[in-house]
Amino acid sequence: MSTLSVTKGNLLGKIVLFALLAASLILSMVPSSAFASSGAPVPVITGIPSQPTGLSPTPLYGAVKLTWNAPPETNITKYIVQYREESPGGTNPWTSVTINSATAYLGTTIGGLYIDNTSYEFRVKAVNSNNLQSLPSASVYAFPKNAP
């Protein structure tokens, strides 16, 4: 019985050692430039991008101007702005507007919001070069100004 447990222990030790050596070998093949340092741009990744932050509305006549902060990834190619009339429980459908831009375009104006005394909910998603969408930003709410 003790011989079997020693054999299992040796086998487990060999598996752990192999895993550590394999991880070390893989990390040694990754260039040091792949690790972002403080203030450096985040390297392009193939996964889902981070969500935009700091979404802020400015009410205009029949419209709302939106600004936001870009996610840290360097491969963002466009944004999808979504809006809907505010409703109890958020049951109204979203309307989507795509902002095509290869640069860090961080704002847009949504017009045609002429329903008096109606609040609208807004959010924005980032889309990367692999056409993957981020989760939506935190929602913000705004009342467009009524025509004078």
Side-chain angles (χ1 to χ4, degrees):
M1 182 102 151
S2 64
T3 305
L4 183 57
S5 67
V6 170
T7 304
K8 280 184 176 178
N10 287 342
L11 181 59
L12 180 59
K14 288 178 183 177
I15 291 172
V16 169
L17 179 61
F18 176 77
L20 290 172
L21 290 172
S24 176
L25 177 63
I26 290 169
L27 286 175
S28 70
M29 293 189 299
V30 176
S32 61
S33 63
F35 299 99
S37 62
S38 177
V42 175
V44 173
I45 57 173
T46 57
I48 296 173
S50 303
Q51 61 200 98
T53 59
L55 182 60
S56 177
T58 302
L60 304 171
Y61 290 107
V64 173
K65 179 180 177 183
L66 300 167
T67 57
W68 59 86
N69 300 317
E73 289 84 4
T74 58
N75 64 339
I76 302 301
T77 58
K78 58 187 168 186
Y79 293 94
I80 298 173
V81 175
Q82 296 181 307
Y83 67 96
R84 64 183 175 185
E85 288 181 36
E86 187 178 357
S87 62
T91 57
N92 285 335
W94 291 100
T95 298
S96 296
V97 177
T98 301
I99 309 298
N100 289 309
S101 178
T103 61
Y105 183 179
L106 304 175
T108 193
T109 299
I110 303 296
L113 308 176
Y114 294 108
I115 301 172
D116 286 347
N117 301 316
T118 299
S119 176
Y120 290 86
E121 179 180 5
F122 300 89
R123 66 186 189 184
V124 64
K125 297 178 182 182
V127 181
N128 67 14
S129 57
N130 295 319
N131 211 31
L132 297 174
Q133 294 181 19
S134 71
L135 293 173
S137 67
S139 289
V140 295
Y141 301 86
F143 280 94
K145 295 179 183 179
N146 294 330

